Amino acid sequence: SLYSAAEAGKIAYLSRTDCARAAAALSSTSRATRTLDVTGARAIGVDEVAATAAKLAGTPISVVRVPVA
């Protein structure tokens, strides 16, 4: 089971490779103040995360909704 309080919220996950590329870009620029917005290609919800994990694991994974207090 995957426990989540995210409700309908979505997250744009990114890979370690993307993080490394962002770090390299920051280290290769001048010292001027700069802000980079680093996010994944698309946002996905907890249901899609569970479905993908279930497919990869070869076993059903259910989402358990946890109420926000």
Side-chain angles (χ1 to χ4, degrees):
S1 295
L2 175 63
Y3 291 81
S4 176
E7 298 180 2
K10 294 186 176 188
I11 299 173
Y13 294 96
L14 61 147
S15 69
R16 287 181 294 230
T17 302
D18 292 335
C19 291
R21 286 182 182 145
L26 285 172
S27 67
S28 66
T29 61
S30 69
R31 296 201 184 270
T33 301
R34 197 170 162 195
T35 301
L36 293 180
D37 183 12
V38 182
T39 62
R42 77 182 174 91
I44 60 174
V46 67
D47 293 318
E48 188 172 347
V49 170
T52 301
K55 182 177 179 181
L56 292 171
T59 187
I61 296 177
S62 61
V63 176
V64 178
R65 308 285 179 194
V66 178
V68 178

